[in-house]
Amino acid sequence: MQLKTSYKQILSISVPIILGSAVQNVIALSDSVFLYHKSEEDFAAIGFVSVFYLIIAAIGYGFSKGGQIIIARRMGEFSYEGAGKSFMAMCYFELFLATLMFFFMYYGTPWLFKLMLDSESVYNLSLEYIQYRSYGVFFSYLGVAFFALYTGIARTTFIIFNAIGLALVNVTLNYLLIFGKMGLPEMGIAGAGLASSIAEAVAFVFFIAYMVWDKKLKALFPGVGVYRFNVGNIKNIISLSFPLVMQSIIGLGAWLFFFAKVENLGEEELAMTNLIRIVYLLLSIPCWGFSSGINTLVSNFIGAQKRIAVFPITWKTAKLCVGITMILTLPMVFFPKTILYPILGSQDMSLFDMAKPIFYILPLVLASFALGAVFYNGLTGTGSTGLALAIQFIHAVVYVVLIEVSISYMDGNLVLAWLAEGIYWFLILISCVIVLKSKRWHELKI
């Protein structure tokens, strides 16, 4: 498989990933929208607990990204069976990891949430959600392994159909289970957790069926040996992926810290921040897609001994990402009520009025995110995951300090708190550009 540095090639790989990587965003958005119509307490709780679950999902996704980078590297080297072995090793490890995460969520979250939350109602509702949501972790972790396979081999079209199927199932079951329609029990936030778990199970079955039907995968799985448990391949994935997992934990952990701090201000402030989170998740979908695409492109070019193409392809991807993100962002900033009315209705427009100053800084925040995320993932695509982790950790400390100052010492200044997100990604952008220009990653082997 030989890829090109053209905009057409970037779009052909990234656009399906944009839709596919929206999976967790779609689930989080669907949960939040329906619970917005349920009650303010449910809406406030889902703002906290869905960010917590994103951390859990990001752990599995981090390990799959390491597998994706290795698969893309093997494809660039024309080692097709090696790509298949890496995929199987990833599946075995993801299943083991999912088992650990299930027991942690089911038995450990009551203690953890008690430490983080002041509101008794938010605490109880968060536990209701996570106990049902925990069952979906098995399908989520194996699902991202399949996602990594098709992204790594740059055949991303089916990801679109899988994402559409997951979204339809999730939205339908959310409506039925949250509000108790068609004879089903009215479960509220617990119904949102159950609906999301079932949707991920359905998406997993779709992937299995497609892989059995997909004849083009035969080159990756030529014999029984590919399916054997290979400790060496698992170690290779863990070695490359562990910094990626830590990156996700640090990044989303800082965001969870933000939501926990806002929760201390009151449920109204948390509900307002959750509204901005919905918009932010919606508008950041292109960023996640292009970021995942650049992982495959960079790793494949390095495998094909074309290191000189790494910086140009990263810069082209970043420009596309910013352009598409701004096309989506500017109408949302200037006409938020008009665009979100079909989704949220007119039950409480006061949240929009309170959040108006934050809407105005979203273009700046999202532009920083679009550029920073693409260059950051371009760096991880080289295999420099440890260095990328160090960069993120340093800037996450700055982010947490800014959040603490804006919430605790500036009367809950949420505008500055959200602006900290843009500062965080801008600093990451500068650091990654410097490292990629230095070429210190050229001799890395994975």
Side-chain angles (χ1 to χ4, degrees), residues 116 256-266 403-404 407-408:
M116 301 184 71
L256 186 66
F257 172 79
F258 174 29
F259 272 81
K261 294 294 292 185
V262 173
E263 186 268 342
N264 294 334
L265 297 176
I403 294 298
E404 179 66 26
I407 300 297
S408 300

Side-chain angles (χ1 to χ4, degrees), residues 157-353:
T157 305
F158 177 70
I159 292 172
I160 298 176
F161 301 104
N162 188 264
I164 292 173
L166 185 148
L168 289 175
V169 173
N170 188 65
V171 170
T172 302
L173 289 178
N174 260 339
Y175 174 71
L176 297 177
L177 292 171
I178 289 174
F179 300 107
K181 303 296 183 180
M182 295 181 67
L184 294 174
E186 184 178 346
M187 299 176 65
I189 195 171
L194 179 58
S196 298
S197 292
I198 294 173
E200 287 185 327
V202 172
F204 172 75
V205 172
F206 284 169
F207 252 128
I208 290 288
Y210 183 76
M211 287 186 66
V212 171
W213 173 82
D214 188 1
K215 306 301 181 185
K216 293 182 179 180
L217 286 184
K218 284 186 177 180
L220 278 66
F221 305 99
V224 178
V226 175
Y227 301 95
R228 288 177 184 153
F229 188 87
N230 189 305
V231 176
N233 284 335
I234 292 176
K235 285 182 177 179
N236 193 24
I237 290 174
I238 293 174
S239 175
L240 181 66
S241 301
F242 185 74
L244 295 173
V245 174
M246 293 307 298
Q247 291 166 25
S248 298
I249 292 175
I250 290 170
L252 288 169
W255 223 26
L256 186 66
F257 172 79
F258 174 29
F259 272 81
K261 294 294 292 185
V262 173
E263 186 268 342
N264 294 334
L265 297 176
E267 291 181 4
E268 187 176 67
E269 286 80 3
L270 183 58
M272 181 186 71
T273 300
N274 196 21
L275 172 66
I276 298 297
R277 181 186 66 88
I278 290 175
V279 176
Y280 189 74
L281 285 173
L282 202 61
L283 297 176
S284 65
I285 287 173
C287 302
W288 295 113
F290 281 110
S291 296
S292 185
I294 197 63
N295 280 153
T296 292
L297 289 162
V298 166
S299 191
N300 184 273
F301 279 122
I302 294 174
Q305 302 300 311
K306 295 182 178 179
R307 289 175 173 80
I308 195 171
V310 167
F311 194 89
I313 197 67
T314 305
W315 175 231
K316 284 184 176 181
T317 303
K319 287 190 288 185
L320 280 173
C321 186
V322 172
I324 292 176
T325 301
M326 288 302 102
I327 289 172
L328 297 174
T329 298
L330 294 178
M332 182 72 77
V333 169
F334 292 108
F335 310 104
K337 293 182 182 180
T338 303
I339 295 173
L340 293 175
Y341 179 85
I343 300 175
L344 300 178
S346 58
Q347 289 185 2
D348 189 1
M349 289 293 105
S350 65
L351 285 179
F352 285 93
D353 295 330

Side-chain angles (χ1 to χ4, degrees), residues 108-160:
T109 48
W111 170 79
L112 179 64
F113 289 176
K114 200 70 176 178
L115 290 177
M116 301 184 71
L117 297 170
D118 290 338
S119 170
E120 191 68 24
S121 64
V122 172
Y123 169 78
N124 290 327
L125 289 169
S126 295
L127 286 183
E128 284 184 36
Y129 177 85
I130 208 68
Q131 287 190 345
Y132 281 98
R133 193 73 177 89
S134 59
Y135 291 100
V137 72
F138 296 100
F139 307 110
S140 173
Y141 277 29
L142 288 172
V144 294
F146 296 148
F147 183 94
L149 171 65
Y150 278 95
T151 305
I153 64 176
R155 289 182 50 225
T156 54
T157 305
F158 177 70
I159 292 172
I160 298 176

Side-chain angles (χ1 to χ4, degrees), residues 58-72:
I59 292 173
Y61 184 62
F63 279 107
S64 76
K65 281 189 74 174
Q68 174 190 330
I69 292 169
I70 293 173
I71 289 169

